[in-house]
Amino acid sequence: MRRRPGGELRDRLRQRDPGFRLVRRAARLTVVASLVFYGCRYGLGNVTLATYALFGTVATGSFAQLPGPAAVRARTLLAAVPVAWALVAVGTVLAVSTAAASAGMLVIGFAVAFAGVGGPRLVGLANALQLFYILACFPPYQPETLPARLGGVTLGVALVALAEVTLWPDPAPVSFARRLAAAAAGLADLVDALADVLVARPGAAEDAAHRHDRAAQLLDEVRMARLPVTARPISAGRRDRAWRDAAGAAQEVLAVAESLASRPDVTGSGDADLAAALRRSAASLRRSAEVAVRRPGTPAGDGPEPVRPLPPSWRAADPARLRVEAAVRALADQVWTHATAVGIATGPRGRRAARPPEAGADRFWYAGRSAWSLYRQQFRAHLTPRSVYLEGAVRLAVALAAARVIAGVVNLQHGFWVLLATLSLMRASASDTRTTLRPALVGTLAGGAAGGLLLLVSPERQAYAALLPLALVLAFGVGPLLGLGWAQALLTLLLIVVFAQLNPSSWQLAGARVVDVAIGAVVGVLAGLLLWPRGSGSDLRRNAGAYLAASGRAAERIVEALAGRADARPAVAAARRAEALATSSFVQYHAERDDPRLSHVEWDRVLAAGHRAGYGGQALLADRRPGALAPWPGPAAALVARATRLSDGYADVGRQVTRGRVDRAPPPAEPDGDIARQVHAMVRDGEDRPEVLSLVEVDGWLTDLDRHLRGVSGSGPPR
């Protein structure tokens, strides 16, 4: 049976536009833009009001890419209105001269772009906010029109916000919380299967392997590089920090589970006590999954329970059982961290979850901090030339300021279009920007030719008024579906249709559009060639290498702190800063074209090795006070020596990563003796303090770090 042509068209459209989001947005934008433009231009007869109402609509309806469901996006747009007022006012005042407007463009261009450090909402608003200043900073210098300009912007933004929730609202996207809840449920199934492995249930090993693959697949869905930009919890606020910690702890649960499952003597090595401990951890993961999908801000109950005391049977355990015991306890620690972080992310502001009675360093230092202090800290961390956020902000600000200078000096008729082209076509690397040049120019030329022909055939304003809804649908609905060339062609046609109604126009308007886009694109290419032309590639190598070295140092200091020899806090803080830079570089790298020079490094493994050192070590330090290993100086000294060798290995691999190729595995950081056997001997000789098992836990963690580090060089098992 043949399908109807309409069904085939819908299928093709669904493939290009899942959920019909572009179609919905184009429909909303067409309705609102037509309404405000017709009402202001023809109903009120106010050209300035019509111009700013239309561009306020287009800026927030098309250029803004905001996260969350429709109601959240609407609130974000309304909250941005005062910022838009300020940018329009500053642009209106600085339009007095080219020099003032260009200097303002440099400062505001950087400030607005760099504000994206604060989170996805600020990233999504950046281009729209840039447009408000860009439009206002061009002649004619008319400060007396400021009330009309602000009124137009307010009208446009308010109607877009209203349309978001009333006109064909988009289906709510899959939130990070739901993705993480699914991953936690998958981990719970894996941990239950490991409990069956411990008690040697028939078929448990195969079941655990299958559940491991499923859990790893679900956890892959919460990696930052795999998420849409608007779904990443990257803001400096308390909730997003807690979500990141919850995801990090979930990754650690998987890593410890992998380590536990890879032990050759694990099957049948446990008893009912250890199996019950694993099942309690699985139940806690499932509770966390339920809490994660609750509405944020609702009560979370009494919070997760701390790790339970060891069963009395541990004193009779052999070395193999001690290793399993330590791994189970480490897994329970990470489950508690995950549950606590989820509680902070979903709980009311200022809520602090209960901590274990023997807590050490505070993993959740941010829970009681003000939003202002958290954002200030995040911005300060990225005020470095190693930050891709800083580089991108400087690159864009210089390009926009240069384009404003050219437009003012040459006295272009529609200089606004020059900056619009630079903003729209510029990418994070010179090569990516160059790839946009040809289709953009061809598309603009085609659109300009069609618009010029239209101006020659029908110069009457009424014709363009009738064409406006069609031009809006084509520019914002059809163009993005067909590619950059079509998008530029149809946007050019739309701008000609709009400006033909604002002022008397001739066919030369089409030529001006082509020239302006060409100038703006060339400015963007030159800025990309002069300022960090390789994009995030070199930053990724440098920052990932520094992250490995900092993680190795942190691991060494953590073991020294547990042995009572050092303060680990400075090294841990340095590793956190290095992680932020490396992660942002990695995320930016995935947004660019593949660089063959970076294909020699498994970047996921690099970040996993750093993550295991940082998060695993912080969990050990959080639940044990500094000096916890000091009562047993011999084994503690052996662990410190091993941690030092591992730190050297991390630094060595970090230097190789910085060069862009890892072709040499570091020397193995073999233990100085069998720690588990030493602990077993001490227990047999009368040692009855449960804290002695921490020696085995630290030893297991260091073994896992060595495994992850070898995975980076390809000589170890994949993560």
Side-chain angles (χ1 to χ4, degrees), residues 21 66-70 72-73 120-121 171-184 218-219 221-224 226-233 240 243 247 288-296 345-346:
R21 294 181 181 275
L66 296 174
V72 173
R73 295 198 302 272
R121 293 186 186 182
V174 180
S175 66
F176 182 84
R178 289 194 174 276
R179 295 173 190 265
L180 186 59
L218 290 169
L219 268 176
E221 295 296 316
V222 299
R223 294 183 185 275
M224 294 297 173
R226 308 289 191 270
L227 294 170
V229 175
T230 56
R232 296 169 185 161
D240 275 9
W243 283 129
S288 296
E290 294 173 0
V291 170
V293 296
R294 261 196 0 260
R295 183 178 179 181
T346 58

Side-chain angles (χ1 to χ4, degrees), residues 602 605-606 706-719:
E602 293 284 348
R605 294 185 177 190
V606 170
D706 195 35
R707 181 176 72 93
H708 275 73
L709 190 59
R710 298 191 168 283
V712 174
S713 61
S715 59
R719 187 180 189 280

Side-chain angles (χ1 to χ4, degrees), residues 389-577:
Y389 286 110
L390 182 76
E391 291 178 2
V394 170
R395 185 191 298 114
L396 181 62
V398 170
L400 291 176
R404 181 63 183 87
V405 169
I406 293 172
V409 170
V410 181
N411 196 22
L412 295 174
Q413 182 182 4
H414 295 284
F416 165 80
W417 290 351
V418 176
L419 277 74
L420 178 62
T422 301
L423 185 66
S424 302
L425 303 178
M426 195 169 178
R427 301 294 185 266
S429 69
S431 60
D432 283 359
T433 304
R434 283 197 301 269
T435 61
T436 67
L437 188 59
R438 181 178 178 182
L441 291 180
V442 171
T444 302
L445 186 61
L453 182 62
L454 188 62
L455 287 168
L456 282 174
V457 172
S458 180
E460 292 82 10
R461 182 180 300 163
Q462 293 79 5
Y464 300 101
L467 285 174
L468 180 62
L470 176 62
L472 286 165
V473 169
L474 292 175
F476 299 115
V478 177
L481 292 174
L482 298 180
L484 179 61
W486 281 97
Q488 283 296 314
L490 295 174
L491 179 61
T492 297
L493 191 61
L494 170 63
L495 290 174
I496 290 172
V497 168
V498 170
F499 278 87
Q501 298 176 70
L502 295 175
N503 297 295
S505 302
S506 67
W507 64 269
Q508 294 174 333
L509 179 65
R513 166 66 181 168
V514 175
V515 171
D516 290 344
V517 169
I519 293 174
V522 169
V523 169
V525 170
L526 291 176
L529 287 172
L530 296 174
L531 299 170
W532 301 284
R534 296 182 179 180
S536 65
S538 58
D539 295 306
L540 177 59
R541 293 199 306 270
R542 183 174 63 247
N543 290 336
Y547 178 36
L548 278 183
S551 298
R553 285 193 298 272
E556 181 183 13
R557 294 294 181 270
I558 286 170
V559 178
E560 290 178 346
L562 291 172
R565 300 184 180 183
D567 182 0
R569 287 174 296 182
V572 169
R576 285 175 179 166
R577 292 192 296 269

Side-chain angles (χ1 to χ4, degrees), residues 2 44 76-77 130 182 284 319 376 408 499 528 618 632 663 709 716:
R2 294 186 60 186
L44 300 177
T76 302
L77 290 176
Q130 299 276 17
S284 177
R376 183 179 58 194
F499 278 87
Q618 289 175 55
W632 307 280
D663 48 17
L709 190 59

Side-chain angles (χ1 to χ4, degrees), residues 9-58:
L9 179 61
R10 280 195 302 272
D11 290 343
R12 291 182 181 180
L13 183 59
R14 188 176 289 110
Q15 289 178 356
R16 289 180 174 267
D17 182 20
F20 302 113
R21 294 181 181 275
L22 277 175
V23 172
R24 294 169 188 268
R25 186 176 66 184
R28 289 194 298 268
L29 194 55
T30 298
V31 170
V32 175
S34 300
L35 179 64
V36 298
F37 189 79
Y38 288 149
C40 297
R41 178 66 183 91
Y42 298 105
L44 300 177
N46 191 319
V47 172
T48 300
L49 189 67
T51 302
Y52 280 82
L54 178 65
F55 277 93
T57 301
V58 171

Side-chain angles (χ1 to χ4, degrees), residues 167-206:
L167 293 179
W168 312 289
D170 295 336
V174 180
S175 66
F176 182 84
R178 289 194 174 276
R179 295 173 190 265
L180 186 59
L187 285 172
D189 292 339
L190 171 60
V191 173
D192 268 338
L194 289 177
D196 292 335
V197 171
L198 285 184
V199 296
R201 181 181 67 81
E206 293 77 8

